[in-house]
Amino acid sequence: MTDQFEPTIIGFTCNWCSYRASDLAGTARMKYAPNVRLIRLMCSGRLDPTFVLRALSEGADGVMITGCHPGECHYIEQNYKALRRFLLLRRVLTGLGIEPGRVKLVWASAAEGARFASETTTFVEEIRKLGPLNWGKDDDGPQTADDGKSSIVHGQEMEVPA
Amino acid sequence: MTTNGKPKFAMYWAASCGGCEIAVLNTHEKILDVDANFDVVFWPVAMDAKYKDVEAMEDGSILLTLFNGGIRNDENEHLAKLLRQKSKIMVAFGSCACEGCIPGLANLSPVGDIVHTAYNTITTDNPNEIYPRTSYDVPEGELHIPTLAKVLRPLEQVVDVDYFMPGCPPESHQIAAVIDLVIKVVKGEAELPPKGAVIGAGDSTVCDECPRARNVKLIKEFTRIQDIAPVDPDLCLLEQGIPCNGPATRSGCMARCPGVGAQCIGCYGPAEGVMDYGARLITAFSSVIDATEPEEIDRILDGIPDPTGQVYRFNLAGSLLKANRDAWKVK
Ligand code: SF4
Ligand code: SF4
Ligand code: SF4
């Protein structure tokens, strides 16, 4: 028994390909990391970046977005929308001090159960390496505010000359 | 009610630039209506009053407080709590109080760095690196200066807020309309909007009020507005590759900036129903990009040099992630 960190990961899958891929992985009893909670969308194009931010703000350590391969989207080209949003979102997260690797985009067709399983396992390992999402911290000492007062404070205090 | 029978009015600035106060004064003769209809009991920018005067007031005895500025230090926090306790109607006035605004961008930096930048940069003459102390003993006793909090918080993250009035600063005609409304309410001629409402603004987006033509034009490049010459005066700026925050921003300013040739930077905050302002803009900007290959999309995105600042310029502290988890812990 080790107390290794088990990340919480939210997965957004599209109904037509990647959710079926996960289904296939399930029915074929492929083994993969159990850390991902899947949420089915009709299409990866439905992926509002708000969902990702919401997941991270509510305690997810990583978010996996999956969709059909380019050119194979059930709604023609909505997965390209997902791709563009994903690339911009990753830049914004970087600016916020969140490792961009916490959000991943995977293309998986309905037949690719094995791919879905292995990508999931890989992602869980990547997030495990990153550790819990614990961003926005800096190192200027303990900063509690349990007494209801504002937390500190100036990094340094210096003598005021006489 | 005071001895003169008029309801009491207060206005306060916490971490703010003063622009919100100027905007109120900019309502011109409307300001006389405030004086005619209210007893102004506390308004540091306009009159002399002491905190202890406010402390001595009965709870709930101020009818209306317009609170502008974010909560950046313990003095701000004290006044926010005090005025909340003394006021019936607490309005988060202006972008700083509503969503953190420009001062909220400092949440991306550790507080030590902020202090260091203020007291020890190339433009600062401070060879001995003297920093302020939050308390200091002098013969007369102990002196205190306000202590910086780790992050700037919008008012709502600190106290209960009744209404939100966005804008940096709110437009004067909107302020005048709100003052009119409150006067009518006092006279029994109108009712207050439901608690939590956004007042002094519209309920759609800046694009909705924008005179520029929108097509379905897609772009191969994002550019800073100053690098495009000439800017088409009639075409949507976003379709010219200029990141314009209009699609996510609440209406109410009559599209003031795009109307005169500058892009909207988002000072009216998230439009109705937008849970995260930045996320909505990510969607909007992505939708005009004309590319399907990751490399090309990335090249186009390089045209937005500071994407985080671009999509959260006013809303960082109020965003879903609040830019800093520590903000969530304190209320
Ligand atoms: S909202 Fe804008 S005008 Fe008002 S205090 Fe903040 S920065 Fe100044
Ligand atoms: S994106 Fe900007 S320029 Fe285009 S319609 Fe909206 S507000 Fe106007
Ligand atoms: S156009 Fe945008 S930035 Fe300009 S005043 Fe209106 S909301 Fe503010």
Side-chain angles (χ1 to χ4, degrees):
Chain A
M1 200 45 215
T2 56
D3 46 3
Q4 77 167 342
F5 160 60
E6 288 301 339
T8 303
I9 289 167
I10 301 295
F12 293 103
T13 59
C14 79
N15 181 50
W16 302 104
C17 298
S18 52
Y19 189 81
R20 286 169 195 219
S22 78
D23 241 8
L24 184 64
T27 46
R29 304 192 174 229
M30 293 173 196
K31 270 205 158 159
Y32 65 101
N35 305 55
V36 183
R37 282 82 162 144
L38 291 186
I39 296 174
R40 175 155 50 159
L41 308 175
M42 283 309 280
C43 175
S44 59
R46 174 65 181 95
L47 197 270
D48 183 332
T50 310
F51 301 168
V52 179
L53 298 174
R54 185 84 193 262
L56 296 176
S57 77
E58 304 264 334
D61 302 296
V63 175
M64 187 164 99
I65 306 155
T66 67
C68 310
H69 284 275
E72 291 171 15
C73 173
H74 193 82
Y75 302 99
I76 321 280
E77 53 179 34
Q78 299 304 307
N79 53 355
Y80 291 119
K81 265 191 188 159
L83 172 66
R84 292 191 285 258
R85 289 174 191 167
F86 164 75
L87 291 173
L88 180 49
L89 173 67
R90 243 184 11 178
R91 290 176 182 230
V92 171
L93 289 176
T94 307
L96 290 171
I98 295 177
E99 302 88 343
R102 290 191 186 271
V103 184
K104 179 174 182 147
L105 180 63
V106 173
W107 304 134
S109 77
E112 290 179 317
R115 179 182 165 83
F116 186 91
S118 77
E119 289 283 0
T120 303
T121 303
T122 312
F123 188 46
V124 170
E125 278 315 312
E126 286 163 4
I127 298 296
R128 220 194 290 278
K129 278 207 196 79
L130 287 174
L133 176 54
N134 198 18
W135 54 284
K137 284 251 186 306
D138 55 45
D139 294 321
D140 45 9
Q143 314 232 346
T144 53
D146 301 336
D147 54 358
K149 286 177 66 186
S150 266
S151 40
I152 88 108
V153 176
H154 307 159
Q156 281 160 284
E157 292 184 338
M158 299 286 287
E159 282 304 314
V160 179
Chain B
M1 297 273 163
T2 34
T3 38
N4 59 18
K6 291 195 279 191
K8 292 181 181 173
F9 169 92
M11 183 157 187
Y12 186 69
W13 49 9
S16 81
C17 79
C20 279
E21 310 266 349
I22 301 301
V24 174
L25 299 173
N26 254 349
T27 57
H28 303 298
E29 62 279 357
K30 190 55 76 191
I31 203 74
L32 299 175
D33 287 359
V34 174
D35 187 54
N37 289 278
F38 293 93
D39 181 18
V40 180
V41 291
F42 184 62
W43 189 359
V45 80
M47 60 178 275
D48 186 29
K50 303 289 180 236
Y51 294 171
K52 64 174 167 29
D53 300 336
V54 183
E55 278 153 15
M57 291 175 195
E58 237 173 79
D59 287 359
S61 61
I62 301 173
L63 177 69
L64 175 66
T65 292
L66 303 182
F67 192 102
N68 80 83
I71 310 301
R72 177 81 255 192
N73 62 34
D74 52 358
E75 182 190 33
N76 302 153
E77 186 169 339
H78 171 65
L79 265 288
K81 288 178 173 165
L82 180 65
L83 285 165
R84 169 69 279 183
Q85 192 185 337
K86 304 295 176 188
S87 311
K88 281 209 177 66
I89 305 172
M90 184 75 151
V91 178
F93 187 90
S95 176
C96 287
C98 289
E99 47 177 344
C101 195
I102 307 295
L105 290 173
N107 288 6
L108 292 175
S109 304
V111 70
D113 287 4
I114 296 169
V115 174
H116 182 76
T117 303
Y119 288 92
N120 194 21
T121 54
I122 198 159
T123 56
T124 312
D125 185 14
N126 187 10
N128 298 324
E129 297 199 23
I130 293 166
Y131 288 82
R133 290 176 160 206
T134 52
S135 64
Y136 189 67
D137 285 321
V138 291
E140 294 77 13
E142 201 183 6
L143 292 178
H144 289 278
I145 61 166
T147 305
L148 281 179
K150 207 173 167 190
V151 289
L152 178 134
R153 284 168 290 159
L155 188 60
E156 183 194 25
Q157 288 172 21
V158 179
V159 297
D160 192 36
V161 170
D162 296 302
Y163 301 112
F164 299 86
M165 199 162 166
C168 176
E171 287 290 315
S172 293
H173 73 273
Q174 301 279 14
I175 301 172
V178 167
I179 292 172
D180 270 344
L181 171 72
V182 178
I183 290 171
K184 282 208 180 105
V185 170
V186 169
K187 291 183 174 157
E189 295 164 7
E191 287 200 6
L192 283 172
K195 187 176 153 85
V198 173
I199 55 174
D203 50 16
S204 80
T205 65
V206 168
C207 291
D208 239 21
E209 292 179 337
C210 179
R212 290 173 178 268
R214 264 161 296 163
N215 311 302
V216 277
K217 198 167 163 275
L218 299 174
I219 58 143
K220 287 279 183 198
E221 193 168 41
F222 279 115
T223 329
R224 299 187 310 164
I225 196 163
Q226 58 269 43
D227 294 339
I228 292 193
V231 175
D232 184 319
D234 303 315
L235 179 65
C236 166
L237 294 165
L238 198 48
E239 293 181 14
Q240 299 182 59
I242 300 159
C244 176
N245 288 8
T249 305
R250 187 179 283 276
S251 61
C253 68
M254 305 309 290
R256 195 160 267 260
C257 302
V260 296
Q263 74 268 47
C264 171
I265 53 176
C267 81
Y268 258 64
E272 191 72 32
V274 172
M275 184 184 276
D276 188 86
Y277 181 79
R280 179 60 64 92
L281 273 184
I282 289 170
T283 301
F285 292 166
S286 303
S287 71
V288 295
I289 296 175
D290 183 14
T292 52
E293 288 305 315
E295 297 74 27
E296 198 189 357
I297 298 170
D298 263 329
R299 183 195 57 77
I300 296 173
L301 289 175
D302 284 343
I304 307 176
D306 171 18
T308 310
Q310 173 78 38
V311 304
Y312 287 119
R313 186 178 308 203
F314 292 88
N315 192 253
L316 190 69
S319 68
L320 253 180
L321 291 175
K322 299 186 178 69
N324 190 319
R325 288 199 157 188
D326 290 281
W328 308 348
K329 293 187 203 144
V330 224
K331 179 147 182 175

